[in-house]
Amino acid sequence: MYTPQAGIFALGTSSHAYLEFDLVDAKHREEFAGAISAIREPRTTTGGVNFVIGFRPELWRELVPEDMPADVRGYNNDIKGIEGFVMPATQHDAVVWLSGSAYDVLFDMARSVVRDLAGLARLADETASWPYRHDRDLTGFIDGSENPTLLDAPAAALLPEGVPGAAGSVLLLQKWKHLVAEWEALPVEKQEHIMGRAKVDSTEMENKPEDSHVARTDQDEFGKIFRRNMPYGGVEDHGTVFVGFSAEQQRLSKMLDSMAGLISGKRDALTRYTVPLTGSYYFVPSVESLRRLR
């Protein structure tokens, strides 16, 4: 039996930090992998912090080829949708996602991680996030209404036993900037049609528009994923960090294609009020696979 990284399912944390790294020299990838895998004991938390460690799929395949699904690839090319819409590719070599009850602890641990990897990798991107009104994003709508329960989430997020990468997961990490003024200028009824849900209680509309966000990201059509989205940013410049785990990369890639209008010819209406800034895929290996690299 293989064990998933516990941080994937560690709900209820109020502070988050996403650290994305690029190798300084690819010749030292084994040393880098050993250092990042030794950050903590994957079965426990360190200083009240949960960790999730992921690798660029091509890098993980070079490191542990027998532990990597054959069809998983990095976010290596922009997704070019209809009407000139683009989801940019900003793939990095590894990610460390920290979550905990207070940001001061995360801040200290993040600095420790960066120090541990100094000389092997540079910090390419850093984002901090936090929950808003329990389970809403900064559009004011409830986020994750279709998320599976914790009982069902492992089946959606983790590769099954008996296959390469068992208990691992494919992570899609994106940062979406909200066009705040444009969104907040809309009446609530218009916002609800864009989302395909009621704003107060997230009830799905029976006759939702085909270009609504719910229609373009329907998990009954593309397959279940486990989302851990969080708001990021400040008063005037903010948005959503999309954090999606799946046992199959195809579920995530088809969802993005659908949002971009490449499947139905209808672009997700929400993408007219949010702008994708980043996009990376990471393979999040099992605890046992990380241990072998130390």
Side-chain angles (χ1 to χ4, degrees):
M1 291 287 292
Y2 287 85
T3 310
Q5 294 186 43
I8 296 173
F9 305 108
L11 301 180
T13 48
S14 59
S15 295
H16 300 256
Y18 312 88
L19 310 177
E20 295 182 87
F21 293 92
D22 285 332
L23 281 167
V24 172
D25 187 339
K27 291 185 294 185
H28 298 297
R29 59 181 178 268
E30 288 84 3
E31 186 180 354
F32 165 72
I36 199 171
S37 299
I39 287 172
R40 53 124 192 175
E41 171 56 51
R43 289 184 179 273
T44 63
T45 58
T46 301
V49 177
N50 297 298
F51 285 78
V52 173
I53 297 168
F55 296 84
R56 177 171 53 86
E58 291 83 358
L59 176 58
W60 186 251
R61 186 173 288 111
E62 293 172 354
L63 292 166
V64 194
E66 71 278 7
D67 192 57
M68 185 67 195
D71 58 348
V72 180
R73 298 289 183 271
Y75 196 140
N76 300 319
N77 299 292
D78 296 348
I79 298 173
K80 298 179 180 179
I82 65 172
E83 303 169 342
F85 176 67
V86 176
M87 294 185 190
T90 58
Q91 183 69 54
H92 299 292
D93 287 320
V95 65
V96 179
W97 168 30
L98 305 87
S99 62
S101 59
Y103 189 73
D104 58 345
V105 179
L106 260 62
F107 181 82
D108 288 341
M109 288 305 304
R111 295 190 68 205
S112 176
V113 170
V114 172
R115 285 196 301 268
D116 288 346
L117 301 179
L120 297 171
R122 66 176 184 85
L123 182 62
D125 193 58
E126 173 190 359
T127 305
S129 67
W130 32 268
Y132 176 70
R133 296 188 181 180
H134 181 58
D135 56 3
R136 296 182 183 267
D137 67 24
L138 296 177
T139 66
F141 282 76
I142 294 173
D143 196 0
S145 298
E146 290 191 21
N147 232 14
T149 66
L150 277 180
L151 289 176
D152 297 326
L158 304 177
L159 277 80
E161 292 290 330
V163 303
S169 186
V170 180
L171 165 63
L172 170 61
L173 184 66
Q174 289 179 299
K175 190 158 57 177
W176 291 75
K177 174 184 170 65
H178 293 185
L179 302 180
V180 183
E182 292 91 331
W183 177 256
E184 293 182 347
L186 298 174
V188 170
E189 183 179 1
K190 176 64 174 176
Q191 292 180 357
E192 290 177 334
H193 277 81
I194 290 170
M195 286 293 192
R197 292 186 180 277
K199 192 167 188 177
V200 173
D201 60 6
S202 202
T203 301
E204 187 172 327
M205 298 171 63
E206 289 188 13
N207 298 311
K208 55 186 173 292
E210 290 185 31
D211 66 347
S212 68
H213 183 58
V214 170
R216 292 298 92 231
T217 61
D218 187 356
Q219 292 192 37
D220 291 333
E221 180 178 353
F222 303 116
K224 293 292 185 181
I225 63 175
F226 183 56
R227 292 189 295 171
R228 295 291 307 277
N229 299 359
M230 280 285 161
Y232 80 89
V235 174
E236 294 187 339
D237 184 2
H238 56 249
T240 298
V241 179
F242 180 90
V243 183
F245 293 94
S246 178
E248 297 178 356
Q249 186 176 34
Q250 190 176 51
R251 301 175 193 171
L252 297 162
S253 62
K254 281 189 172 181
M255 179 190 70
L256 295 184
D257 286 347
S258 174
M259 293 175 69
L262 298 176
I263 293 180
S264 69
K266 294 186 181 297
R267 175 180 158 193
D268 187 335
L270 185 59
T271 65
R272 304 182 190 281
Y273 299 91
T274 60
V275 178
L277 303 179
T278 67
S280 290
Y281 282 115
Y282 295 102
F283 185 69
V284 179
S286 68
V287 168
E288 289 76 12
S289 295
L290 287 178
R291 279 190 179 137
R292 294 206 305 268
L293 295 180
R294 295 181 186 180

